């Protein structure tokens, strides 16, 4: 369980597939809130999870032509989205998701998010996530294409009043009850050069995990390995001091 959110479980109390998906989202969001600019990737784990090869995958924007170096560079920078079905494209103030958008001064600003999603079935909804919370549900205009797919577009103004990160995600419910999803990499919005403000409950949760690993592994792992935990603990204790 995560102390800052509820996750879907089955009758036995175990996380469902949807619960595990959101657990991954929430831990990723916690690390982004701590200031780590981590780019999303994907892996199917077919054979471990009951999904076919290629069920979860990552797409990278490389420009008009495919180039391996551009693909790897774009993946590292975060010019990408992950998906189990829907193709999801978005810009913030016309910029792709590897851009850092900077403003002078820390008063409220408005950025404009432009979204396009192509899916096999109509989407349940498109959400705009700011600092790990759903800030808005996009006002979708959906049409059926000549190929039989569904195209949803939205233009959404979003207010920003502190240094933040923004991402777009969407869901498509299937006949068997499973839900496909797509999720962009984040945009980072800096106001007056200030760092993001971490969530106190999230920092405390990660600190507890790290301190528990040190207690569990002292005498089992080398001093070099234990010192890596110690460095991480010092960093998160510093984050805790300026968290909210």
């Amino acid at each position: 369980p995560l102390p800052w959110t509820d996750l879907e479980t089955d009758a036995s109390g175990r996380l469902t597939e949807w619960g595990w998906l959101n657990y991954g989202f929430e831990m990723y969001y916690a690390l982004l809130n701590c200031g780590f600019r981590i780019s999303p990737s994907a892996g199917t784990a077919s054979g471990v999870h009951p999904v076919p090869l290629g069920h979860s995958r990552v797409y990278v924007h490389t420009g008009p032509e495919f180039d391996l170096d551009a693909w790897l560079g774009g993946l590292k920078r975060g010019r990408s989205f992950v998906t189990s079905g829907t193709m999801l494209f978005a810009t913030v103030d016309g910029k792709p998701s590897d851009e850092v958008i900077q403003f002078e001064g820390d008063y409220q600003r408005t950025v404009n998010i432009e979204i396009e999603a192509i899916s096999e079935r109509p989407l349940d909804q498109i959400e705009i996530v700011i600092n790990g919370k759903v800030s808005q549900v996009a006002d979708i205009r959906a049409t059926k294409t000549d190929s039989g797919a569904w195209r949803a577009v939205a233009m959404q103004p979003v207010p920003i009043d502190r240094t933040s990160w923004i991402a777009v995600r969407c869901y498509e419910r299937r006949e068997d009850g499973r839900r496909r999803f797509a999720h962009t990499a984040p945009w980072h919005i800096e106001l007056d050069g200030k760092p993001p403000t971490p969530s106190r409950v999230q920092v405390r949760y990660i600190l507890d995990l790290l301190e528990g690993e040190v207690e569990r592994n002292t005498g089992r792992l080398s001093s070099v390995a234990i010192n890596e935990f110690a460095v991480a603990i010092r960093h998160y204790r510093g984050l805790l001091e300026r968290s909210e």
Side-chain angles (χ1 to χ4, degrees), residues 203-220:
V203 176
R204 183 71 261 174
Y205 178 80
I206 296 171
L207 258 176
D208 289 345
L209 291 178
L210 291 168
E211 291 170 346
E213 287 301 305
V214 169
E215 181 178 354
R216 187 170 67 89
N217 288 292
T218 297
R220 296 188 178 128

Side-chain angles (χ1 to χ4, degrees), residues 41-44 54-59 81-87 180:
S41 188
T44 299
H55 178 76
S56 301
R57 51 200 179 276
V58 59
Y59 288 92
F81 65 92
V82 294
T83 182
S84 58
T86 302
M87 302 297 289
R180 292 186 177 179

Side-chain angles (χ1 to χ4, degrees), residues 16-81:
T16 63
E17 180 180 71
W18 190 244
W20 274 115
L21 176 69
N22 281 286
Y23 175 86
F25 284 168
E26 291 294 335
M27 288 303 298
Y28 179 53
Y29 298 162
L31 293 172
L32 290 175
N33 288 340
C34 288
F36 296 105
R37 294 185 176 179
I38 304 171
S39 301
S41 188
T44 299
S46 180
V48 177
H49 296 295
V51 293
L53 288 171
H55 178 76
S56 301
R57 51 200 179 276
V58 59
Y59 288 92
V60 178
H61 300 277
T62 62
E65 297 182 4
F66 176 77
D67 177 84
L68 179 59
D69 290 337
W71 192 93
L72 292 171
L75 179 65
K76 184 176 181 179
R77 293 196 310 271
R79 185 170 288 194
S80 58
F81 65 92

Side-chain angles (χ1 to χ4, degrees), residues 106-109 159-164 191:
D106 59 357
Y107 54 90
Q108 181 172 294
R109 308 297 180 93
I160 299 292
D161 61 4
R162 61 168 63 188
T163 292
S164 303
L191 270 61

